[in-house]
Amino acid sequence: MHRRHCLLLGLLFGFSVAQAQYYKITGKITNDKLEPLALVSIQVKGSGKGTISKEDGSYELHVEEGTYDLAFSMLGYKTLLINVVVTKDYIQNIILETDEAKD
């Protein structure tokens, strides 16, 4: 009987893990002239998750509920690190600043 209870609890726990809720983080990335930026790298710090922006500057990430640090980077622009708290689908538009490196 004890064995049957353990099996039942294991199945219920496995089912609840499989039912994790995912949300979308979406937005558009532009420069300071509000021109869309394609191929911007968007990385979720501390995980292997990430994506790149499309030709129109749009991006989409799928994450579970939680708090995340997102890094937006592109050659010629300053890297932007932001913190987001995701409890539902989330829209985060980004304006990247030009990286004017001094010689």
Side-chain angles (χ1 to χ4, degrees):
M1 190 72 160
H2 181 319
R3 189 177 209 179
R4 200 177 277 172
H5 281 80
C6 288
L7 180 60
L8 180 59
L9 285 174
L11 287 173
L12 289 173
F13 178 73
F15 182 73
S16 66
V17 170
Q19 293 296 315
Q21 179 70 41
Y22 280 87
Y23 298 100
K24 291 189 296 187
I25 301 174
T26 59
K28 188 169 184 176
I29 305 169
T30 61
N31 60 18
D32 56 4
K33 297 175 186 171
L34 301 182
E35 300 166 330
L37 295 175
L39 304 177
V40 174
S41 171
I42 303 101
Q43 295 295 316
V44 179
K45 292 295 211 176
S47 80
K49 292 183 182 181
T51 190
I52 59 172
S53 60
K54 297 178 184 174
E55 200 169 307
D56 64 355
S58 66
Y59 71 95
E60 183 174 303
L61 278 169
H62 295 269
V63 296
E64 291 182 35
E65 184 173 342
T67 301
Y68 300 94
D69 289 320
L70 303 180
F72 296 81
S73 60
M74 182 178 187
L75 190 61
Y77 291 87
K78 294 179 183 176
T79 297
L80 179 64
L81 184 63
I82 65 166
N83 182 270
V84 296
V85 178
V86 179
T87 58
K88 60 182 179 177
D89 288 346
Y90 193 90
I91 298 173
Q92 180 66 59
N93 295 318
I94 298 294
I95 297 175
L96 290 182
E97 295 180 28
T98 305
D99 188 9
E100 298 175 9
K102 301 197 181 205
D103 295 325

